[in-house]
Structure formats: structure tokens, C-alpha cells
Amino acid sequence: MLSIIQAAGWPIWPLIACSVLGLALIFERFVALKTARVAPPKLLDEAITVSSKAVPTPDVVNQLAQNSALGEVLASGLRTLNSNPQCSETDLRAAMEGAGRAVAHRLEKYLSALATIASAAPLLGLLGTVIGMIEIFGSQAGSGGLGQAMGGGNPAQLAHGISIALYNTAFGLIVAIPALIFWRYFRARVDAYLLTLELSSEQFVRHILRLRKVK
């Protein structure tokens, strides 16, 4: 690997930085987007059960908010009802929508950076290719034309330029393809979570409104 990096020249270093950063972002998103941390399957039913007879105490609401992203959204509705039992349906929905937007922003964190790496890596590889071609033709300066350049000149310099061109092109694609795949995977996963949060929030709002009518 070290010999490949040396053969590729300095243009490969930005690609190495992109690969390290992309790998770190992928691991971070895998941890952050676990189902247990975003939308546990039974959390909505548990929240409805806990608040079926009365609005839970602030301590219970805080525990719900700390449970997951979905818990944070559901807890915002209970907090609004605790602070203002006579709040309107519009105020209740606005509070939960605000919490939902904050959660959505957190779920989408670093996805734009991963998409940027997927877009920039091939361009950086292309830059290395162009630099390699410049080295090829620069090494043949004064050889008297392209035909003589390819047949004479400095073979070592010619091989070095070709290696820069090919290694950077390949490494740019090696970095870009996984970054693009994981970006699409995380994007689809976030969209699915957001739909779950929206449907759960709507169901919980109807539950809170029924609870208030019973009271």
C-alpha cells in the first residue's frame, strides 16, 4: 500500500483524507441511526399506555424524551399539555412539529458531507489523472513530437506519470462508489424513520386529544 501511495504521488493524499473521513462518517451514522436510538417499535404503545388515564409527571416525560428520537417528539406533546392543559390542538401540533424538525435535522446530520465525498472523490481522481498526464508530456519536453515522446525520452519519468494517472483514477472511484452507496442507504433509512415519526406523532396527538376530553 505504501508503494502504491508513493507511486501515485501527492494528488492521492486528498483522496486518502476523503476515505478516512468517509469511513468515520459511515460508522458514526450506523451507530446514530440504530432503530433503538431513533424509533423503538413498542415505544408508542408504551407512551399511550402510560398516559391512558392521566398526563404523566415531568419525570416520566423526561425519561420518555431521553429514550430515543421518537420519545423526544412524543414528550414534546406531553410537556405542552403539562404546561398548558387548555392548549389548543394547533399549539399541540406545532410543538410536536417543532420537535420533529429538530429530530429530522439530527438524523440528516453528516449525510450532506458523505454526499460531497461521493461527488468530490472522482473529481480528485481526475485531477490526479490530469497531473499525471502533465508529468508524462513534461518529461518528454524537447523530444520532438508525440511519436518520439512515446518512443524516446525518459522511460522512468514516463512510467511515473502513467502511474500517477492510473492510481489516482482508480483510488478516486474506490472512495466514491462506497460513499455513494452508503449515502443512498442512509438517505432511505432516514426517510423511513421520518415517516414513522410522522405517523406516530399523528396517532399520539389523537390520543392526547381524547385524553383531554375524558378529563
Side-chain angles (χ1 to χ4, degrees), residues 144-212:
L146 182 59
Q148 294 181 17
M150 299 305 294
N154 187 339
Q157 192 70 18
L158 177 63
H160 179 67
I162 293 175
S163 66
I164 290 178
L166 296 182
Y167 279 134
N168 281 279
T169 301
F171 204 78
L173 295 176
I174 289 172
V175 173
I177 292 172
L180 178 61
I181 291 173
F182 280 107
W183 173 77
R184 288 188 178 275
Y185 169 74
F186 290 134
R187 180 73 267 173
R189 194 163 183 171
V190 167
D191 290 342
Y193 280 142
L194 293 180
L195 179 60
T196 300
L197 293 178
E198 183 178 351
L199 296 177
S200 300
S201 299
E202 181 63 28
Q203 185 176 346
F204 197 67
V205 165
R206 292 196 297 267
H207 163 72
I208 291 178
L209 294 176
R210 288 195 300 268
L211 175 64
R212 191 168 61 178

Side-chain angles (χ1 to χ4, degrees), residues 29-192:
R29 286 293 86 189
F30 263 122
V31 174
L33 296 179
K34 285 183 177 179
T35 302
R37 300 186 63 172
V38 180
K42 298 181 180 179
L43 182 63
L44 177 61
D45 294 336
E46 293 174 356
I48 291 176
T49 301
V50 169
S51 59
S52 59
K53 296 182 180 179
V55 179
T57 62
D59 291 340
V60 175
V61 174
N62 289 335
Q63 290 179 358
L64 177 62
Q66 295 170 3
N67 178 274
S68 60
L70 175 59
E72 185 178 337
V73 175
L74 301 181
S76 66
L78 295 176
R79 284 195 180 114
T80 302
L81 200 59
N82 268 328
S83 61
N84 183 14
Q86 303 303 321
C87 66
S88 64
E89 180 180 350
T90 302
D91 293 336
L92 187 61
R93 290 183 181 274
M96 295 186 71
E97 287 174 1
R101 284 193 294 270
V103 167
H105 178 74
R106 195 161 64 245
L107 293 179
E108 294 173 349
K109 188 178 181 182
Y110 301 134
L111 290 188
S112 59
L114 194 57
T116 300
I117 291 174
S119 301
L123 297 178
L124 291 172
L126 180 60
L127 174 63
T129 302
V130 172
I131 292 174
M133 297 301 293
I134 292 173
E135 292 235 2
I136 291 173
F137 289 104
S139 67
Q140 310 302 329
S143 297
L146 182 59
Q148 294 181 17
M150 299 305 294
N154 187 339
Q157 192 70 18
L158 177 63
H160 179 67
I162 293 175
S163 66
I164 290 178
L166 296 182
Y167 279 134
N168 281 279
T169 301
F171 204 78
L173 295 176
I174 289 172
V175 173
I177 292 172
L180 178 61
I181 291 173
F182 280 107
W183 173 77
R184 288 188 178 275
Y185 169 74
F186 290 134
R187 180 73 267 173
R189 194 163 183 171
V190 167
D191 290 342

